[in-house]
Amino acid sequence: MSKYPSLQIHPGRGLGFLILGASLHDALTRLKAHPHLYPTIDVSYSPTQPLVAPIVLNLPANGFRLRFDGPDQRLRLIEILDFGKTQLSYKNIDLVKLPEEKTAPSASQGCPGQQGPVFRHVYNRLMGPTFPGEYLLPKEAAESQTGLYVLSYPGIAFTFPLQHSAWSPSADFVSLLSSSAAAPAKSLAIFDGTAWHEARQDLFTRPCSNPRSLALSAKGKEHQPDEVELVSVCGGGVVDLIRRSSAPFRVVLGETTPQDLVAELGPPDAIYRKNDHRLSIHKPRRREQRTSHGSYGASPARSDDFVDADQSSAHTTTDDSDAEDDADQRVDDQGQSTAKCFYNYFHHGFDIFISYPSNPSPPFPRPDHPPQQPSTTKAMDRLVATKVLLHGNVPGSYPFNRYRRTRWAIDSESTGVSASLDSETPFTELSHELRNIWKGNYASDEAEKATQHAIVLDRDWGDSPGSSYEVLEGWEDSEQTRKKSSSAQGGSGSGTTQIFGFPGLLFEVLKNDALLSTAWGSTLLLPKSSFPPRAIVGDRPRYIAKCTDDLYRWQRINRPAVGHGHFVLHDGPPFANGSLHIGHALNKILKDITCRFQLSLGRKVEYVPGWDCHGLPIEIKALERLKGQLATGNDESIDPILVRHAARELAEDSIATQRHEFREWGIMADWNNAWKTMDWDFELRQLEVFSDMVKAGLIYRRFKPVYWSPSSRTALAEAELEYRDDHISAAAYVKYPMELRVNGELSKVHALIWTTTPWTLPANQAIAVRSDLQYYIIETTEDGRFIVSESNLEYVAEEAFPTQEVTVIDSVMGKDLIGQTYRDHVFGVNPRARPILDAAFVSDSTGTGMVHIAPGHGMEDYELCLDHGISAFAPVDDAGRFTTMALQNHPSVLANKTVLDDGSEAVIGLLRYHGFLVRTLQYCHKYPYDWRTKLPVIIRATEQWFADVGQIQASALDALDRVNYIPNSGQERLKSFVKNRQEWCISRQRAWGVPIPALYHKESGKAILTGDSMDHIISVIRSRGTSAWWTDPADDARWIAPSLSAEYGIGVFRRGKDTMDVWFDSGTSWTRTAGDYDDIHPQADVYLEGTDQHRGWFQSSLLTCIARQKASEPESQTVTAPFKTVITHGFVLDSAGRKMSKSVGNVISPHEIIAGSLLPVVKNRLDAMGPDALRLWVASSDYTSDVKVNLAVLKTVHTNLTKYRTLFKFILGNLQDFDPGKMTLSGLETPHRIALLHLHSVYHNVYRFYNTVDYAKAVNEINHYVARDLSGFYLETVKDALYLERGEARVQAQSTLLVISQCLQTMLAPVAPLLVEETWDYTPKDIKDNFSHPLHVTWDKQVRYLDQFTDSQLTRDISTLDAANTAIKRAQEKARGMKLMGGSLDCFAMLQITTLHGDWQTVSDCYNRYLSDLATLFVVSDVEVYEGQPPIGMWSHEWMESEPFKVDSVEMMAYVYKPNQAKCMRCWRYLAPLSGQDEKALCERCESIVQEIRQLEPGQVVVEAKQNAAAGA
């Protein structure tokens, strides 16, 4: 597949999806939808004649440009200027074959110097014969000069350079262009016309044959609403929409309904509700989605993405849209504001306001028609169209290209207007004509002046279509509340546009066109950046590669190799089974943040991912697959070799899937060298550790009870269990007859036992009591005499004998019962006497005080009987069914019955039949389950291999004392698991795993596992692999050590089938970190896993590592754990604190967060937030406890990410023209020094939190800094210097912004690396050339840099300045509440020290110290400071609001009041002289700057009003 953008040439029609006649809006929107293909789009136009001169879109990275006419903004000409940047073809034949290698497109990339097609290729293969073209002489007709020959075909023309010396008018052009005098084509033009020399005459004025929208030019156009060509304003609330091919549609304000609009114009592209500022973007059609968008296809971005960017012309509609819902909506008077909304038609170029009817607009006054009375609206409770807003789409305006340009004209026939007034009429002419028309409509000149007064609006970045509300409603609100003092303040901010009104008409005029004022906007240095407001999905793979694989390789080369500069995070391997879940994301991203922070400290990071590949879950899936293939239902009939092969394939598939998903999360790791526990070299390392433990006597085989999973048919370790609290068992009270002296006489009594596992009674070998307990002999009215402990008597009497009277007849101490015997008459063969034993584990709080002992089914039972020479007996098979030994007198009664089901019921039935069952009941209690199959386990004595933990326990605990733990509670938790473990069952009865290389004598069954046998078997595996253990013939002598063959003979051994516990597999993964540093004492810097790994991987890693050390250095007293620091995290829960489960339906997947596919309660969809959103969620969470994830949390994450992007867009936009060579941080103004002090503080705090692995606090600190110190303070204060100043003042601001940007990148690098990489990608080249990549920068470098900006005096003064700033803001809010002011600059401020006592002089000195900077710091026009009473004249202002405040004990008052100077039309501060024209007023500073610009950049400042229209009616 080509790495270049590929476009087909269609002569006379277009280039790919770019169709001649398409609107500028349509073309720009489609280009911007694919920034990875079209990264740079330069828009150029005439500042003085934006609606007359053509508009040019230049795409330097793609080698072509587009020319649009000015009035209608439609594509007229496509020019190919560089054939090396886009793969162009005609009828599937390439114009030029480009090389395969190419990186991401940019202005400097592509195929430099690639020539265009040669003439013969064009003439013979592509286009065919044509008429002669025209020759353009070189500028200087010298023999050495080169002219241009334009070869024209219908709709397309090629330009070939031709040596002027070879040119002759009489020469055959085919011969000329085929000769060596002609070079390959230099350019190509696509146009509408038969030949270029004819078409160029009226290229930009002739009617277009194609529609404005690609959607209308493709198939299925009958499903698209016809486009509006012209809007005819008829007056009196009537507007005719003149359409391309359909009949005109008349909109009558106050009568036309939303249903009418939808029927004629289609559903709107969006609906904006002014009451809650909610924009509903319509989704694609669900029933008849047949709209074609040409060969290029529709934009992959959701239409939601257009809210603060250019709106799509790809018409997204829905049959059940809000438009139709709103059409039928009825509310009462109180709810009328809720019903108001805008229908936004981006592709038509207008908005229609929907509300309840109001008084209609008056018709244009006509001398030939008497005035008409406005008609009365018939239905006041129906929603109707009440206003229409037409968008001019003037180049250079902030909302440029949000809508298609709408052309309009005032209908002379309907209105009687004699002059031609339309959207291209200069506003000065338009205004003059309308004033004359309506002059007789005003009662006085003052009334006319009030109506004609301009309202100032602020059009700024991020404007939504809701700004239409500001245009329409802002005027009406001002009409109702206009006061003489504030009539010019209809809005806040910089005021980039003004509104002028006439009866029934409203015009928004762009100030940068100098229609009514001087164009000071051309002297402003406004931010310009192509950094997108949202992450672009198409760019994601490129940024992921850069900030992961490329970064990991870079640091492995450029960071120190060994010593303190090396950091190793050893990966706890995830199980290679299925896709990843949100818990994996929490774990892996925490590891990645840790590694990235260590990288930012200057250390070389080693993080090699791993996978745990063996074990039951994969084997079960392999068996299921094989059973389907082999049509068998029996696991035991399947060859283990097939199982292992199928399991390996499943593991490899899962690893490939998981690796891809991990990398999508931006995980930086050595993915090319990832290890797997099924790798040959890993298994060898594991077996070598096992061999060392065998040689040290730490491995032994014993017949003893272990946890056994009937569902898995294998032994389990404690770490492989999970406990359920709701398990139900059939508990039973059972009696065993015995003889005991009662009151001095030998009497028949019963030992009463209570058990929750009646199925273990066939294996009973003894009864245990506790020697220090008091026991009662009780007598019941029906069942005889029983022995019960004193402490449990009351409970037992109620439970076992609820209907009988119980009497205590004697007592006996437990020690006197020891040695007594009883008999089992149900399960015993020729019932023998069985002993009563002393056991400390007998409880005095539960049961009867007498415990049934079955050494084959209980750990403590086994140890007790082992001390008394009683053998374990367990008549249960691998499937958890009774064997014939369970009831030897009648084997068939219990044989093959499942012990946890019908077997237990059969045992109870036998007891009842023989009269030994006292009572049975259902009992709910905690019980162990197999963590893989989720089914209950049993305890069963089998022959298993064990690791002797007791021998190394003390050393392991000692090593744990030298480990760091985060959180600290992890230390005691891990140590408690080690303390409570004496041995470890390491054998499993499964096929998929590392074999335990034991040999068994065929006749005696004796197991052989010695150092010699291990060495020999490992040597065989080293050459043949572990699979040969299963695949080789059973009598293969290669596996038998020569010493064994010599001692026992040949052919007497068989190979064992047990495999190792998977915890032993992953527990030996520390061998991966051995070799480079210390084979015996390998130690990673960090192990980081979930808290469940205290009894799992942390423990198995510790035990195997310590065992290896003790085996290798038995005399050494020093042992080390395989980890220096253990970090544990909690589990991920939903908002209700529940574990995520598919059955509950509360699962949130990482992909949903990345893709933004989660739907909130309302219709709005979350944005595609990308991997950084997933990462920021992890970093923002307190991982030391369980972590919750829900929609509310993700919305907060999205908000913070959006703030970061907005901040970087602002910074990058203001650094585009920054010269790093002029960077200065000395002699900074106060706002910049305060900003650097804030930065210094937050930078140190964030570093401290990262260093203590407290990521949530680090992110919280960053968020507060962005919101409080940057957005809330510095960015507001610095705009003045950035936009208005030239020279040193602006350089200081840019220098400070650059430092802030660099430090912010460093702080965000661990948690949002894609964002940091993206910001670097959009950083100006001059800055890149002079500074290091932010992911390569180290913290210490930035810290040393920031430490130079400490200022003790300013640090002390900041709180005093903040107090005044807060008070001023509160006073301003009071004034805004009374509609006395708009923007912050619309007032002066005064600070008054009201009481001159205490430390008032220090406070006064502080404010006077920074007096010249206070206006900038507080963002007001001017600030004065007074001690005591100010001059009398201060109280004479037209309005004034105040707010008291204190600085320590000094009482003060903050005042804001109406300025007594004129508004500077450039900086908007009220510092201009009152004399002169308001629209030309400048303050002294701006006057000086403008004069300087006039001298340095002549022609930039337009002083006189120009005759060009920038009005959108």
Side-chain angles (χ1 to χ4, degrees):
M1 182 179 292
S2 174
K3 298 182 180 179
Y4 299 84
S6 180
L7 294 174
Q8 283 277 344
I9 291 175
H10 306 283
R13 177 172 173 79
L15 177 66
F17 62 92
L18 297 167
I19 305 300
L20 293 172
S23 70
L24 176 64
H25 167 76
D26 190 71
L28 260 179
T29 300
R30 294 182 185 281
L31 290 169
K32 287 186 177 182
H34 299 273
H36 56 294
L37 295 177
Y38 308 102
T40 305
I41 305 173
D42 295 332
V43 182
S44 56
Y45 56 91
S46 170
T48 58
Q49 294 183 317
L51 299 180
V52 176
I55 300 169
V56 180
L57 295 190
N58 187 33
L59 287 82
N62 306 95
F64 62 85
R65 69 185 173 201
L66 313 174
R67 292 182 183 270
F68 299 78
D69 67 81
D72 210 12
Q73 297 183 354
R74 303 184 70 175
L75 181 58
R76 303 295 188 149
L77 178 63
I78 302 172
E79 298 171 281
I80 308 299
L81 306 176
D82 188 335
F83 292 90
K85 296 182 178 180
T86 299
Q87 185 64 66
L88 302 171
S89 58
Y90 173 66
K91 293 184 178 180
N92 296 321
I93 300 175
D94 292 337
L95 266 70
V96 175
K97 190 66 176 178
L98 301 181
E100 292 296 326
E101 294 299 322
K102 182 180 184 293
T103 57
S106 70
S108 60
Q109 294 173 337
C111 185
Q114 176 66 49
Q115 294 180 328
V118 297
F119 169 74
R120 287 191 177 277
H121 182 60
V122 174
Y123 195 80
N124 296 332
R125 293 196 62 197
L126 291 175
M127 310 304 301
T130 185
F131 294 103
E134 59 179 326
Y135 178 69
L136 305 179
L137 295 171
K139 292 182 178 180
E140 298 179 5
E143 293 298 317
S144 61
Q145 297 298 312
T146 300
L148 297 175
Y149 191 92
V150 181
L151 184 67
S152 182
Y153 292 87
I156 189 170
F158 296 84
T159 302
F160 294 94
L162 180 66
Q163 291 180 9
H164 184 63
S165 58
W167 165 248
S168 170
S170 60
D172 176 56
F173 78 94
V174 175
S175 301
L176 271 177
L177 296 179
S178 300
S179 68
S180 60
K186 181 179 182 181
S187 62
L188 177 154
I190 301 172
F191 56 90
D192 181 14
T194 57
W196 173 246
H197 67 279
E198 297 175 356
R200 67 187 181 196
Q201 306 300 326
D202 59 349
L203 187 65
F204 290 90
T205 57
R206 70 171 62 178
C208 290
S209 58
N210 295 322
R212 292 176 176 82
S213 171
L214 177 62
L216 287 172
S217 64
K219 294 181 180 179
K221 61 183 178 181
E222 64 274 17
H223 297 292
Q224 296 293 330
D226 196 4
E227 66 184 12
V228 176
E229 291 278 348
L230 181 71
V231 177
S232 179
V233 180
C234 302
V238 177
V239 175
D240 284 338
L241 305 182
I242 312 301
R243 294 184 284 191
R244 177 179 171 84
S245 55
S246 306
F249 170 48
R250 170 159 290 191
V251 177
V252 180
L253 301 181
E255 296 182 13
T256 301
T257 66
Q259 292 96 327
D260 298 331
L261 296 176
V262 172
E264 294 287 343
L265 303 175
D269 299 302
I271 295 177
Y272 178 80
R273 307 179 191 283
K274 71 159 197 166
N275 63 299
D276 60 359
H277 300 284
R278 179 165 62 88
L279 183 70
S280 300
I281 302 293
H282 286 221
K283 298 173 287 185
R285 288 187 182 270
R286 297 173 182 169
R287 292 197 286 268
E288 293 184 279
Q289 192 171 10
R290 288 180 281 175
T291 301
S292 170
H293 292 282
S295 61
Y296 194 74
S299 165
R302 288 197 316 273
S303 52
D304 311 42
D305 293 338
F306 304 139
V307 172
D308 64 351
D310 298 322
Q311 304 300 331
S312 175
S313 61
H315 309 156
T316 54
T317 59
T318 176
D319 293 327
D320 53 352
S321 67
D322 285 351
E324 297 180 28
D325 295 341
D326 290 344
D328 296 323
Q329 184 179 7
R330 293 181 176 88
V331 293
D332 56 20
D333 292 341
Q334 188 176 2
Q336 284 195 14
S337 62
T338 304
K340 293 182 179 181
C341 65
F342 284 97
Y343 277 19
N344 302 120
Y345 287 98
F346 306 131
H347 60 287
H348 284 315
F350 52 74
D351 296 332
I352 299 180
F353 189 53
I354 307 297
S355 67
Y356 289 90
S358 57
N359 292 329
S361 303
F364 277 72
R366 298 180 59 172
D368 54 336
H369 288 76
Q372 300 177 357
Q373 294 297 323
S375 61
T376 304
T377 304
K378 296 180 180 179
M380 297 298 292
D381 62 341
R382 294 284 293 179
L383 290 170
V384 292
T386 56
K387 298 178 180 66
V388 177
L389 182 110
L390 311 179
H391 292 274
N393 194 38
V394 181
S397 63
Y398 278 114
F400 171 61
N401 204 51
R402 175 162 291 124
Y403 294 77
R404 194 201 90 191
R405 172 167 172 78
T406 297
R407 301 182 75 180
W408 55 267
I410 296 178
D411 183 48
S412 57
E413 182 177 349
S414 301
T415 62
V417 176
S418 59
S420 175
L421 302 179
D422 56 29
S423 50
E424 283 72 59
T425 303
F427 185 74
T428 49
E429 295 179 15
L430 181 72
S431 176
H432 176 75
E433 187 69 25
L434 290 178
R435 286 172 188 246
N436 290 333
I437 292 173
W438 290 99
K439 190 168 184 66
N441 216 59
Y442 303 112
S444 62
D445 291 342
E446 288 72 17
E448 178 184 4
K449 186 177 180 181
T451 306
Q452 295 299 306
H453 196 91
I455 289 183
V456 179
L457 286 183
D458 182 25
R459 297 289 211 169
D460 210 338
W461 290 12
D463 268 0
S464 74
S467 57
S468 300
Y469 163 66
E470 299 174 10
V471 176
L472 295 176
E473 299 294 299
W475 174 264
E476 296 174 352
D477 291 345
S478 68
E479 285 290 324
Q480 299 165 8
T481 60
R482 183 178 291 121
K483 298 182 179 180
K484 183 178 179 181
S485 61
S486 60
S487 59
Q489 318 303 326
S492 60
S494 60
T496 57
T497 67
Q498 289 182 322
I499 297 176
F500 296 84
F502 299 90
L505 292 174
L506 206 62
F507 295 88
E508 182 180 12
V509 182
L510 295 173
K511 295 181 68 60
N512 67 348
D513 282 317
L515 296 177
L516 295 178
S517 62
T518 306
W520 305 124
S522 60
T523 71
L524 303 181
L525 296 174
L526 298 175
K528 297 179 181 179
S529 174
S530 57
F531 183 77
R534 286 175 175 81
I536 299 169
V537 176
D539 288 344
R540 188 183 299 164
R542 179 161 56 95
Y543 292 136
I544 288 177
K546 286 184 176 182
C547 70
T548 56
D549 298 347
D550 295 353
L551 180 61
Y552 194 87
R553 282 193 296 270
W554 175 87
Q555 61 97 26
R556 297 297 292 173
I557 296 171
N558 293 280
R559 289 294 164 83
V562 295
H564 180 69
H566 202 102
F567 175 81
V568 179
L569 191 149
H570 185 50
D571 195 25
F575 205 61
N577 183 30
S579 296
L580 303 177
H581 54 70
I582 195 73
H584 288 108
L586 176 65
N587 175 263
K588 219 69 170 184
I589 291 173
L590 282 173
K591 292 175 181 176
D592 190 63
I593 294 173
T594 302
C595 287
R596 288 180 182 276
F597 174 67
Q598 294 297 325
L599 178 64
S600 71
L601 294 180
R603 304 178 73 179
K604 174 183 282 189
V605 171
E606 179 179 319
Y607 176 45
V608 184
W611 272 275
D612 199 349
C613 305
H614 295 130
L616 190 61
I618 294 177
E619 186 169 346
I620 290 174
K621 285 189 175 181
L623 287 168
E624 292 299 322
R625 175 182 290 185
L626 290 170
K627 281 191 287 187
Q629 295 173 354
L630 302 175
T632 178
N634 186 1
D635 293 356
E636 298 176 358
S637 66
I638 301 177
D639 190 335
I641 299 173
L642 293 177
V643 174
R644 289 177 62 83
H645 180 72
R648 181 175 289 275
E649 284 187 345
L650 285 168
E652 291 287 6
D653 290 344
S654 291
I655 290 171
T657 300
Q658 292 184 7
R659 180 189 284 114
H660 174 74
E661 293 176 355
F662 280 138
R663 299 181 85 158
E664 279 192 330
W665 301 347
I667 306 300
M668 179 190 68
D670 191 354
W671 294 106
N672 293 331
N673 293 307
W675 52 270
K676 304 182 285 289
T677 58
M678 65 182 182
D679 288 340
W680 170 81
D681 61 329
F682 188 97
E683 292 178 333
L684 271 179
R685 292 175 186 237
Q686 178 179 336
L687 286 169
E688 288 169 351
V689 173
F690 183 77
S691 177
D692 288 344
M693 294 175 67
V694 169
K695 294 172 183 177
L698 295 174
I699 304 296
Y700 58 87
R701 184 173 176 82
R702 184 174 295 172
F703 182 81
K704 63 176 296 184
V706 295
Y707 289 110
W708 184 270
S709 172
S711 55
S712 301
R713 298 196 177 192
T714 184
L716 300 177
E718 174 71 28
E720 296 171 295
L721 303 177
E722 59 184 23
Y723 288 86
R724 284 182 52 175
D725 295 325
D726 58 352
H727 183 80
I728 303 294
S729 294
Y733 284 93
V734 180
K735 60 183 180 180
Y736 288 96
M738 62 181 292
E739 292 185 344
L740 188 68
R741 288 190 176 277
V742 179
N743 296 323
E745 295 182 2
L746 192 63
S747 175
K748 290 183 178 180
V749 298
H750 295 88
L752 183 65
I753 65 98
W754 175 77
T755 179
T756 60
T757 55
W759 60 269
T760 63
L761 291 173
N764 174 269
Q765 299 295 307
I767 289 177
V769 297
R770 206 169 87 195
S771 59
D772 61 339
L773 290 184
Q774 176 85 17
Y775 289 83
Y776 284 150
I777 294 112
I778 62 172
E779 186 160 8
T780 64
T781 54
E782 298 177 12
D783 294 329
R785 296 177 174 180
F786 297 87
I787 303 173
V788 181
S789 66
E790 174 192 12
S791 58
N792 296 333
L793 174 59
E794 183 178 353
Y795 174 77
V796 171
E798 293 178 0
E799 280 267 319
F801 312 106
T803 62
Q804 301 182 52
E805 184 178 337
V806 176
T807 306
V808 177
I809 60 175
D810 202 356
S811 66
V812 61
M813 289 299 296
K815 63 182 180 180
D816 297 325
L817 292 174
I818 297 170
Q820 299 291 329
T821 61
Y822 68 97
R823 294 181 186 276
D824 180 357
H825 293 278
V826 180
F827 304 105
V829 180
N830 299 319
R832 60 179 175 80
R834 299 181 181 180
I836 296 179
L837 307 176
D838 180 24
F841 58 75
V842 175
S843 172
D844 61 353
S845 59
T846 59
T848 65
M850 305 190 82
V851 178
H852 138 67
I853 299 297
H857 296 298
M859 313 291 191
E860 293 174 316
D861 300 24
Y862 172 81
E863 298 294 339
L864 177 63
C865 290
L866 186 65
D867 293 339
H868 291 83
I870 301 173
S871 300
F873 172 58
V876 180
D877 66 12
D878 291 356
R881 300 171 298 197
F882 281 123
T883 68
T884 56
M885 298 298 292
L887 191 63
Q888 298 178 38
N889 291 338
H890 303 283
S892 63
V893 174
L894 292 179
N896 294 320
K897 286 184 169 60
T898 304
V899 298
L900 291 174
D901 191 9
D902 55 346
S904 185
E905 295 174 0
V907 168
I908 292 173
L910 283 169
L911 292 169
R912 183 181 291 112
Y913 176 79
H914 289 286
F916 292 101
L917 179 68
V918 176
R919 193 179 181 214
T920 183
L921 64 157
Q922 296 295 100
Y923 182 69
C924 181
H925 63 118
K926 189 175 183 179
Y927 194 83
Y929 278 63
D930 185 329
W931 74 325
R932 298 182 182 96
T933 65
K934 309 302 180 184
L935 293 174
V937 303
I938 61 176
I939 296 176
R940 171 187 177 232
T942 60
E943 277 202 309
Q944 300 290 341
W945 291 98
F946 294 88
D948 188 350
V949 176
Q951 282 195 50
I952 61 173
Q953 187 181 74
S955 297
L957 293 171
D958 177 60
L960 290 180
D961 287 335
R962 294 186 292 278
V963 173
N964 299 318
Y965 300 88
I966 300 172
N968 292 329
S969 58
Q971 179 175 19
E972 285 308 312
R973 180 172 168 81
L974 181 53
K975 291 179 75 172
S976 68
F977 283 113
V978 176
K979 288 177 182 177
N980 294 328
R981 193 174 200 176
Q982 293 298 314
E983 60 186 6
W984 174 8
C985 179
I986 61 171
S987 54
R988 297 293 181 270
Q989 287 65 52
R990 305 304 305 184
W992 178 230
V994 178
I996 293 180
L999 302 172
Y1000 296 87
H1001 196 276
K1002 292 180 180 179
E1003 293 183 2
S1004 66
K1006 178 183 178 182
I1008 302 296
L1009 189 63
T1010 65
D1012 287 344
S1013 71
M1014 281 296 307
D1015 289 344
H1016 179 78
I1017 290 171
I1018 288 176
S1019 68
V1020 176
I1021 290 176
R1022 193 181 305 279
S1023 62
R1024 309 192 63 240
T1026 56
S1027 291
W1029 182 263
W1030 276 270
T1031 58
D1032 282 354
D1035 58 352
D1036 194 328
R1038 286 177 294 184
W1039 294 97
I1040 313 302
S1043 59
L1044 290 177
S1045 297
E1047 182 178 352
Y1048 292 95
I1050 298 176
V1052 298
F1053 291 105
R1054 64 175 176 85
R1055 298 189 298 278
K1057 297 182 179 180
D1058 289 348
T1059 55
M1060 291 190 197
D1061 176 13
V1062 291
W1063 289 114
F1064 198 96
D1065 293 10
S1066 60
T1068 56
S1069 63
W1070 48 264
T1071 58
R1072 291 282 312 180
T1073 61
D1076 292 339
Y1077 318 111
D1078 189 338
D1079 285 326
I1080 307 302
H1081 303 275
Q1083 199 172 35
D1085 291 277
V1086 168
Y1087 273 35
L1088 193 159
E1089 298 299 328
T1091 185
D1092 57 330
Q1093 297 306 317
H1094 286 116
R1095 68 186 184 112
W1097 185 61
F1098 293 151
Q1099 187 183 176
S1100 66
S1101 298
L1102 172 73
L1103 296 178
T1104 56
C1105 188
I1106 298 299
R1108 172 73 173 273
Q1109 293 175 52
K1110 298 298 289 184
S1112 303
E1113 300 176 338
E1115 304 302 324
S1116 175
Q1117 300 300 312
T1118 302
V1119 292
T1120 56
F1123 34 72
K1124 297 176 183 177
T1125 299
V1126 169
I1127 304 173
T1128 51
H1129 61 77
F1131 298 101
V1132 181
L1133 308 175
D1134 67 8
S1135 56
R1138 298 173 300 178
K1139 183 179 179 181
M1140 292 198 171
S1141 168
K1142 290 183 179 179
S1143 60
V1144 177
N1146 62 346
V1147 173
I1148 294 179
S1149 73
H1151 177 73
E1152 287 179 300
I1153 298 175
I1154 292 173
S1157 58
L1158 298 174
L1159 288 175
V1161 177
V1162 294
K1163 291 183 179 180
N1164 291 348
R1165 181 186 294 269
L1166 282 179
D1167 296 314
M1169 299 186 288
D1172 280 342
L1174 182 66
R1175 299 175 61 90
L1176 192 58
W1177 163 71
V1178 171
S1180 303
S1181 305
D1182 180 5
Y1183 65 84
T1184 59
S1185 58
D1186 289 340
V1187 176
K1188 292 184 179 181
V1189 59
N1190 53 54
L1191 196 57
V1193 171
L1194 296 179
K1195 282 185 175 180
T1196 301
V1197 168
H1198 176 242
T1199 298
N1200 290 330
L1201 260 182
T1202 302
K1203 288 180 180 178
Y1204 299 160
R1205 297 191 70 87
T1206 303
L1207 175 59
F1208 278 118
K1209 183 176 179 68
F1210 175 85
I1211 293 175
L1212 292 171
N1214 283 288
L1215 292 178
Q1216 289 301 312
D1217 61 342
F1218 181 57
D1219 180 1
K1222 296 181 179 180
M1223 184 170 181
T1224 178
L1225 292 169
S1226 59
L1228 295 178
E1229 298 292 334
T1230 302
H1232 311 313
R1233 290 191 291 135
I1234 292 178
L1236 291 176
L1237 283 177
H1238 286 157
L1239 179 62
H1240 181 272
S1241 174
V1242 72
Y1243 198 77
H1244 277 274
N1245 289 339
V1246 170
Y1247 171 81
R1248 175 165 51 87
F1249 291 136
Y1250 272 135
N1251 206 35
T1252 56
V1253 202
D1254 199 342
Y1255 303 139
K1257 288 185 178 177
V1259 171
N1260 189 55
E1261 188 78 9
I1262 294 172
N1263 291 338
H1264 278 295
Y1265 170 68
V1266 170
R1268 178 193 59 222
D1269 298 332
L1270 291 181
S1271 298
F1273 165 69
Y1274 184 62
L1275 299 190
E1276 288 301 313
T1277 64
V1278 78
K1279 287 179 182 178
D1280 188 272
L1282 290 171
Y1283 298 172
L1284 303 167
E1285 294 284 358
R1286 301 292 175 102
E1288 179 68 16
R1290 189 164 191 270
V1291 170
Q1292 285 190 9
Q1294 290 179 306
S1295 301
T1296 306
L1297 275 184
L1298 180 57
V1299 173
I1300 291 173
S1301 176
Q1302 291 171 334
C1303 291
L1304 193 60
Q1305 286 172 324
T1306 303
M1307 291 188 286
L1308 287 173
V1311 298
L1314 271 76
L1315 173 61
V1316 173
E1317 188 67 58
E1318 187 180 5
T1319 59
W1320 179 251
D1321 194 33
Y1322 283 87
T1323 298
K1325 184 178 183 301
D1326 287 347
I1327 296 178
K1328 285 184 177 182
D1329 292 342
N1330 286 274
F1331 294 92
S1332 300
H1333 192 293
L1335 296 181
H1336 300 170
V1337 173
T1338 58
W1339 281 81
D1340 59 337
K1341 179 181 178 181
Q1342 300 282 34
V1343 168
R1344 291 194 301 270
Y1345 193 61
L1346 288 176
D1347 283 345
Q1348 64 181 306
F1349 302 119
T1350 56
D1351 186 329
S1352 56
Q1353 179 66 60
L1354 183 55
T1355 302
R1356 291 192 298 269
D1357 291 342
I1358 284 179
S1359 60
T1360 302
L1361 297 171
D1362 283 345
N1365 190 29
T1366 301
I1368 288 173
K1369 294 295 184 286
R1370 289 175 178 170
Q1372 287 177 333
E1373 285 306 312
K1374 293 179 182 179
R1376 287 194 187 97
M1378 301 179 66
K1379 298 194 176 183
L1380 300 173
M1381 63 173 289
S1384 185
L1385 292 172
D1386 295 349
C1387 70
F1388 282 1
M1390 177 181 68
L1391 300 178
Q1392 178 192 10
I1393 303 176
T1394 55
T1395 53
L1396 303 181
H1397 60 73
D1399 200 14
W1400 70 269
Q1401 189 61 55
T1402 300
V1403 174
S1404 178
D1405 291 344
C1406 172
Y1407 290 126
N1408 283 289
R1409 187 179 302 121
Y1410 308 105
L1411 187 60
S1412 61
D1413 295 313
L1414 292 184
T1416 300
L1417 292 174
F1418 301 155
V1419 197
V1420 295
S1421 285
D1422 190 40
V1423 179
E1424 294 182 278
V1425 179
Y1426 291 100
E1427 302 159 1
Q1429 289 298 321
I1432 299 297
M1434 287 299 298
W1435 311 115
S1436 61
H1437 297 286
E1438 187 171 330
W1439 60 263
M1440 176 179 283
E1441 293 295 332
S1442 62
E1443 178 69 21
F1445 69 103
K1446 280 187 177 182
V1447 177
D1448 296 328
S1449 61
V1450 179
E1451 295 183 356
M1452 299 194 65
M1453 188 71 75
Y1455 296 92
V1456 295
Y1457 54 93
K1458 178 175 173 56
N1460 55 11
Q1461 291 181 267
K1463 189 176 193 176
C1464 173
M1465 300 309 292
R1466 182 172 179 272
C1467 70
W1468 299 99
R1469 291 176 182 254
Y1470 283 80
L1471 298 176
L1474 289 173
S1475 59
Q1477 299 181 19
D1478 290 349
E1479 65 269 16
K1480 295 184 179 180
L1482 291 182
C1483 65
E1484 184 178 350
R1485 177 190 62 165
C1486 288
E1487 181 65 42
S1488 173
I1489 294 174
V1490 169
Q1491 291 298 331
E1492 179 183 352
I1493 294 172
R1494 284 196 179 109
Q1495 295 174 8
L1496 297 177
E1497 305 170 43
Q1500 180 173 343
V1501 182
V1502 183
V1503 180
E1504 299 299 329
K1506 299 298 181 181
Q1507 296 295 316
N1508 54 74

